[in-house]
Amino acid sequence: MISEWRSYAIEDFIPFTADVYLRLIERVNSGQWPLQLPMLIVGLAVIVLLGRKRKLSAGALLAAAWVWVGTAFLIQRYAQLTWVADYWGWAFCAQAIVLCAFAFGSKSDFRFRKPFPISDCLGLAIALYGLVAYPLLTAFAGSGWAQSESFGIHPDPTAIATLGILILFSRGWQLWIQSLIPLSWCVFSALTLSVLETSGFYILVSGIALFLVSMVWVSVSPFFERAQAQSELDSQGL
Amino acid sequence: MITRRQAISRMGIGAATLSLAPLQVFAGMEELRRHPIHSTGEKIPVIGLGTWRTFNVGDDEELMLDRTKVVKSFFDEGGGMIDCSPMYGSARELMGFAFERLGVPDTLFSAEKVWTREGSATREQVRESEELWGVKPFDLMQIHNLVSWEAHLETLKEMKENGDIRYIGLTTSHGRRHRDLEAIMRRGGIDFVQLTYNLTHRSVEDRLLPLAKDEGIAIIANRPYDGGRLIRDLKAKHEVPQWASDAFDCESWADFLLKFITSHPAMACAIPATTSVSHLKENMQAGRGSLPDEETRQRMIRHVESL
């Protein structure tokens, strides 16, 4: 049985070719144009609203983007090519509930601090990578604007931008739980793109790598900060 | 009852049907080699058409028309077997789309699969596939990857007796479940077995292919290019060796790889999949001309292993 499982490769689970996937991106773009622009504003608004302590509004907007991508892209379109997309579509809707629940229940009181700590810089960088850089990079790497991928329209930039936003305003176990679905999607999608051998693979993996570095940083930096504070207290003889 | 296939082919419905007159248009073209289905002696062209990955295009009409050109070219070249499965996403819908535009050619040898764990759903899934293809009855109905094979096989045997299908087959791929497959082949009542066989995956040569010959079972080779990797790598890095061209009609890597498969005495046909008309034509060419003899086959193995 083990040897039988070893005979499977990732490609055995990807039942379509690269041209079909790129056409899917293209068709969703043309079908939803000009929604890409309001969605970009929604993404930027989420960051601004969080900076102004309006967690509920920010959470609701972000959740709406996840529901839209889950239904309009994954369930209605992508699921025609692979049944797994149907489940992912529901996972995206579940993520919307998770985001709303944490926005409603979270006690964290995020605000932008000056000077920007490294973790905030990383979070903002990832969020802007998903919101602004992603459409540009996928347009340049693919066949122009028709195949560019945008936040709130396509799942990859939506997940990456969300991971950046989570690095900005969430910490500890809450960060891990809220990151679970977006990160799992990114890994799934990266595996798909690696089989299809599209340039989008490198763009997505860069986003994932940036997020993982940030996760490590936000996990270990409090220990360093505490140790530094302790040593300062010690040096003052307190 | 007249079937849709018969009706279309008798009436010559649709302008597109006229453009599907391959034997008239390409009268000078050498016919494809045909190998027998041992259980009846009926002969089928040695190069078929696979649809895994390549024909799953959703409802994208541009791509559906694109793949329809591949189907048309397949029949223009004298092709017969098209192999599909409920597992292949929208591939079955695409077959229906293509045949609506092209008409159902008389030369079609329709090969579908049953792919459901529900042993009682055999007839329902066959009916669903018939509706999607617009073809009835299927020539060959296979049990995909031996899923719930006992229940499906019983029903398929009844269906064959009633004339609801013409042949019964089993499929595996990637060298999986060969022991189970061997045991089922020994029980009898199977016309076809589909398995993975190519120049780099030859484990079936030891037991399954000789057994198929003994039991009178026709073999369909899937993954002849190992999912595309094999021919892609060879084309990118190597020239077709001159000795192969001297030994048999071998002008391309498609000839080299496909003729290795179809020259095995147990082989009925190979089913390469493609999205490209030019690749399709290259594949079909491998169904024409001379085949390598056993000595040359061994040299072909050594050559590919040395690369």
Side-chain angles (χ1 to χ4, degrees):
Chain A
M1 187 58 90
I2 290 171
S3 64
E4 190 179 315
W5 275 107
R6 278 183 188 162
S7 68
Y8 285 92
I10 303 166
E11 65 171 55
D12 299 329
F13 300 97
I14 313 296
F16 48 87
T17 52
D19 64 329
V20 175
Y21 183 76
L22 294 174
R23 277 279 302 163
L24 171 70
I25 302 287
E26 200 173 317
R27 290 169 71 216
V28 169
N29 262 337
S30 63
Q32 296 189 17
W33 176 259
L35 192 61
Q36 289 81 347
L37 300 174
M39 279 296 186
L40 172 62
I41 294 167
V42 165
L44 294 171
V46 169
I47 299 171
V48 172
L49 287 169
L50 282 169
R52 294 183 178 178
K53 301 179 187 176
R54 294 177 63 180
K55 285 181 298 182
L56 272 179
S57 310
L61 279 177
L62 194 54
W66 275 79
V67 170
W68 179 251
V69 173
T71 51
F73 186 94
L74 293 167
I75 295 174
Q76 284 179 18
R77 295 286 192 169
Y78 201 5
Q80 288 178 14
L81 303 178
T82 173
W83 54 270
V84 186
D86 213 19
Y87 292 100
W88 275 115
W90 291 111
F92 268 52
C93 295
Q95 175 68 12
I97 295 170
V98 170
L99 290 168
C100 281
F102 277 96
F104 185 75
S106 168
K107 288 178 182 169
S108 82
D109 208 6
F110 173 83
R111 56 179 163 52
F112 285 115
R113 292 164 285 177
K114 288 181 184 173
F116 257 30
I118 292 174
S119 56
D120 288 2
C121 290
L122 287 169
L124 197 58
I126 298 168
L128 292 176
Y129 182 78
L131 289 168
V132 181
Y134 219 97
L136 297 171
L137 291 171
T138 44
F140 287 129
S143 300
W145 289 110
Q147 288 179 2
S148 73
E149 295 178 48
S150 310
F151 170 85
I153 306 293
H154 302 99
D156 295 354
T158 305
I160 291 291
T162 302
L163 289 172
I165 289 165
L166 291 173
I167 288 282
L168 264 176
F169 84 95
S170 191
R171 287 293 176 272
W173 64 273
Q174 295 187 3
L175 172 58
W176 283 101
I177 288 177
Q178 290 179 95
S179 303
L180 194 61
I181 291 174
L183 186 58
S184 303
W185 167 263
C186 287
V187 171
F188 170 82
S189 189
L191 290 172
T192 304
L193 298 179
S194 73
V195 170
L196 300 180
E197 296 177 2
T198 66
S199 48
F201 169 76
Y202 299 102
I203 300 168
L204 179 56
V205 165
S206 303
I208 295 171
L210 203 51
F211 172 73
L212 292 177
V213 168
S214 307
M215 278 293 262
V216 171
W217 177 257
V218 298
S219 301
V220 300
S221 61
F223 297 106
F224 286 125
E225 283 167 13
R226 232 175 286 151
Q228 194 180 2
Q230 187 61 49
S231 73
E232 277 172 16
L233 288 173
D234 290 345
S235 66
Q236 289 167 17
L238 300 173
Chain B
M1 188 185 94
I2 189 166
T3 65
R4 179 192 170 101
R5 176 178 173 181
Q6 288 163 336
I8 290 172
S9 69
R10 283 179 198 172
M11 294 164 67
I13 290 171
T17 311
L18 296 174
S19 64
L20 242 199
L23 298 178
Q24 290 160 23
V25 176
F26 300 99
M29 188 184 283
E30 184 186 346
E31 274 201 43
L32 290 179
R33 181 182 297 274
R34 287 170 173 265
H35 282 177
I37 302 165
H38 303 298
S39 59
T40 60
E42 179 183 353
K43 289 186 170 181
I44 53 171
V46 293
I47 305 297
L49 182 63
T51 56
W52 164 242
R53 292 188 83 202
T54 51
F55 275 34
N56 180 19
V57 300
D59 63 356
D60 188 332
E61 197 160 325
E62 191 177 312
L63 290 180
M64 289 169 93
L65 287 168
D66 202 51
R67 302 302 192 263
T68 300
K69 288 179 191 164
V70 174
V71 175
K72 181 181 182 306
S73 187
F74 176 69
F75 288 108
D76 283 348
E77 293 278 335
M81 179 185 287
I82 297 185
D83 177 72
C84 196
S85 169
M87 198 188 105
Y88 301 170
S90 64
R92 293 182 300 169
E93 284 93 329
L94 180 60
M95 293 318 305
F97 179 90
F99 290 144
E100 253 179 42
R101 278 147 188 82
L102 302 174
V104 182
D106 285 336
T107 53
L108 169 68
F109 189 93
S110 51
E112 248 299 340
K113 302 193 187 81
V114 177
W115 180 64
T116 168
R117 294 205 178 277
E118 266 185 73
S120 59
T122 322
R123 288 175 193 277
E124 193 186 326
Q125 196 166 68
V126 171
R127 199 162 37 244
E128 184 185 87
S129 295
E130 284 171 348
E131 282 171 15
L132 291 170
W133 277 59
V135 166
K136 186 181 179 179
F138 279 111
D139 293 305
L140 168 61
M141 188 54 63
Q142 307 155 97
I143 301 170
H144 195 147
N145 287 344
L146 307 185
V147 173
S148 302
W149 66 269
E150 281 165 306
H152 291 317
L153 188 54
E154 201 174 310
T155 313
L156 289 180
K157 282 180 177 173
E158 285 172 19
M159 293 178 76
K160 186 182 167 185
E161 273 178 27
N162 295 336
D164 297 332
I165 53 171
R166 294 178 60 221
Y167 295 103
I168 296 174
L170 304 167
T171 79
T172 71
S173 64
H174 303 73
R176 295 174 197 130
R177 299 191 68 178
H178 280 182
R179 278 189 192 171
D180 295 337
L181 185 60
E182 186 178 332
I184 306 167
M185 286 167 75
R186 288 186 191 282
R187 288 181 168 206
I190 306 294
D191 302 298
F192 278 89
V193 161
Q194 184 182 137
L195 41 73
T196 295
Y197 180 56
N198 60 50
L199 252 165
T200 54
H201 292 78
R202 293 178 288 102
S203 61
V204 294
E205 284 177 343
D206 298 335
R207 295 175 68 91
L208 291 178
L209 296 188
L211 176 63
K213 207 156 175 278
D214 292 346
E215 296 286 336
I217 297 171
I219 298 287
I220 302 167
N222 60 35
R223 301 178 61 81
Y225 297 146
D226 195 19
R229 272 190 303 256
L230 185 55
I231 195 164
R232 226 176 15 244
D233 290 351
L234 288 170
K235 276 184 172 179
K237 296 173 190 165
H238 307 283
E239 293 290 322
V240 177
Q242 184 58 45
W243 58 259
S245 305
D246 296 341
F248 63 102
D249 290 319
C250 180
E251 303 301 324
S252 65
W253 279 115
D255 283 341
F256 193 96
L257 297 172
L258 293 176
K259 286 192 173 185
F260 173 81
I261 295 168
T262 57
S263 60
H264 191 286
M267 207 53 63
C269 76
I271 48 169
T274 182
T275 60
S276 141
V277 169
S278 64
H279 288 168
L280 183 281
K281 287 183 175 172
E282 206 174 55
N283 293 341
M284 301 309 281
Q285 195 54 36
R288 302 187 178 95
S290 57
L291 292 175
D293 57 20
E294 186 51 34
E295 194 183 326
T296 310
R297 282 171 52 82
Q298 294 306 316
R299 191 173 179 187
M300 292 164 86
I301 294 168
R302 289 195 300 274
H303 182 74
V304 168
E305 283 175 349
S306 72
L307 296 176

